[in-house]
Amino acid sequence: MAKVTLLAHTPNPEATVAAAAKLCYSPSTIESIQEGLTPEKTAAFVEMLSEIGHESPIEHVSFTFGVEEISRACSHQLVRHRLASYSQKSQRYVSEDSFEYIIPPEVEAIPEAKAEFIRQMEAIDAGYKNLAEILTKKHTESFLAAGLDEKEAVKKAKKKAFEDARFLLPNACETKIVVTMNARSLMNFFRHRCCNRAQWEIKDVADQMLALVLEVAPNLFKNAGPSCVSGGCPEGGMTCGRIKEVREEYKKLKGN
């Protein structure tokens, strides 16, 4: 299971969204735009935006998450959501010697499959260490010949070795990433990745992210979740066929 942390968010996110929405529908000045925005009126503004599909005001608030204990396979799916900012642990600058890895639950559940999976990870780890060592030795000699002192030569050699040795690393390799999305992008992310047809690992990340934003902006994310929570299933013949159960699941998540 991934570990997801809400690192930061726009202060008073729902009030900020309500102020932006109010500006669209009233003659208020910027100086007075937040006057009279009681919690009740703020909630009403946010709910109105959801009902009429006016989503641009929710782009004014953003949320930053730390995500760890996920695989590279998962992070590759995550970064496909382009309207976001990402900072990920680099395999060029950080050695993956004795790397951590993610074991899929279906593999974990079968002792024979798990044992084979671990054997392969250990073999890759040994190959990575060996290749990095060979490359480091070769690059160190080259940098020494170019006139660098030994400490600097080894430092540069290791970095250069990591760049090529990482080509051996598997999708299972554990990674860490910081993600920032505005609320509109998050809504889109939840529609796609909270879905039962999403890969298990990124669905876990999405569900944890949704639970975290609900704590600080419950009205804003009242209708968030997979597409079928607030409408029909877009998957056609590939639907999971569990719309009723999914809706109940997300009602519970939101405390309804």
Side-chain angles (χ1 to χ4, degrees), residues 43-116:
F45 259 116
V46 171
E47 186 172 347
M48 177 196 72
L49 294 176
S50 176
E51 289 176 352
I52 67 177
H54 186 189
E55 296 185 330
S56 62
I58 72 175
E59 295 178 12
H60 295 293
V61 299
S62 64
F63 300 81
T64 298
F65 306 88
V67 184
E68 53 191 322
E69 298 177 18
I70 61 169
S71 69
R72 277 268 171 168
C74 182
S75 70
H76 288 341
Q77 294 178 70
L78 183 56
V79 299
R80 290 177 65 192
H81 293 268
R82 296 186 296 275
L83 296 181
S85 298
Y86 302 99
S87 298
Q88 185 171 9
K89 182 180 76 170
S90 172
Q91 291 181 335
R92 291 181 65 203
Y93 294 96
V94 180
S95 171
E96 292 289 2
D97 189 347
S98 299
F99 63 87
E100 298 292 327
Y101 51 85
I102 307 301
I103 303 178
E106 293 292 338
V107 174
E108 183 88 43
I110 305 171
E112 183 183 1
K114 181 179 178 181
E116 177 60 24

Side-chain angles (χ1 to χ4, degrees), residues 33-249:
I33 197 66
Q34 292 182 310
E35 292 178 4
L37 279 179
T38 62
E40 294 75 20
K41 287 187 177 180
T42 293
F45 259 116
V46 171
E47 186 172 347
M48 177 196 72
L49 294 176
S50 176
E51 289 176 352
I52 67 177
H54 186 189
E55 296 185 330
S56 62
I58 72 175
E59 295 178 12
H60 295 293
V61 299
S62 64
F63 300 81
T64 298
F65 306 88
V67 184
E68 53 191 322
E69 298 177 18
I70 61 169
S71 69
R72 277 268 171 168
C74 182
S75 70
H76 288 341
Q77 294 178 70
L78 183 56
V79 299
R80 290 177 65 192
H81 293 268
R82 296 186 296 275
L83 296 181
S85 298
Y86 302 99
S87 298
Q88 185 171 9
K89 182 180 76 170
S90 172
Q91 291 181 335
R92 291 181 65 203
Y93 294 96
V94 180
S95 171
E96 292 289 2
D97 189 347
S98 299
F99 63 87
E100 298 292 327
Y101 51 85
I102 307 301
I103 303 178
E106 293 292 338
V107 174
E108 183 88 43
I110 305 171
E112 183 183 1
K114 181 179 178 181
E116 177 60 24
F117 191 92
I118 292 173
R119 275 196 296 272
Q120 295 299 328
M121 292 301 105
E122 290 175 346
I124 292 171
D125 182 48
Y128 175 88
K129 290 177 181 175
N130 190 41
L131 182 58
E133 196 174 295
I134 293 168
L135 291 171
T136 298
K137 182 179 178 181
K138 185 264 182 186
H139 295 322
T140 299
E141 292 171 353
S142 297
F143 286 130
L144 287 172
L148 271 66
D149 63 65
E150 185 173 355
K151 182 178 179 180
E152 187 65 18
V154 171
K155 180 181 177 181
K156 285 182 174 291
K158 285 184 177 180
K159 176 187 171 297
K160 195 170 181 180
F162 295 159
E163 290 182 350
D164 291 331
R166 64 178 172 158
F167 279 76
L168 285 178
L169 296 171
N171 274 338
C173 192
E174 188 270 347
T175 191
K176 300 172 180 65
I177 191 166
V178 172
V179 184
T180 299
M181 293 187 188
N182 69 47
R184 190 177 190 178
S185 291
L186 269 176
M187 293 287 198
N188 177 69
F189 176 74
F190 294 143
R191 281 194 288 271
H192 289 283
R193 302 303 187 173
C194 290
C195 175
N196 277 344
R197 293 201 65 250
Q199 191 250 0
W200 62 270
E201 194 176 13
I202 198 166
K203 175 172 167 51
D204 171 42
V205 170
D207 284 341
Q208 289 191 56
M209 288 168 69
L210 176 54
L212 289 168
V213 297
L214 281 167
E215 292 178 9
V216 295
N219 296 301
L220 183 57
F221 292 98
K222 180 180 179 180
N223 296 315
S227 297
C228 64
V229 165
S230 56
C233 175
E235 297 295 325
M238 293 187 288
T239 179
C240 73
R242 298 180 59 248
I243 291 179
K244 183 178 179 181
E245 293 92 331
V246 171
R247 287 176 177 171
E248 285 301 316
E249 175 188 341

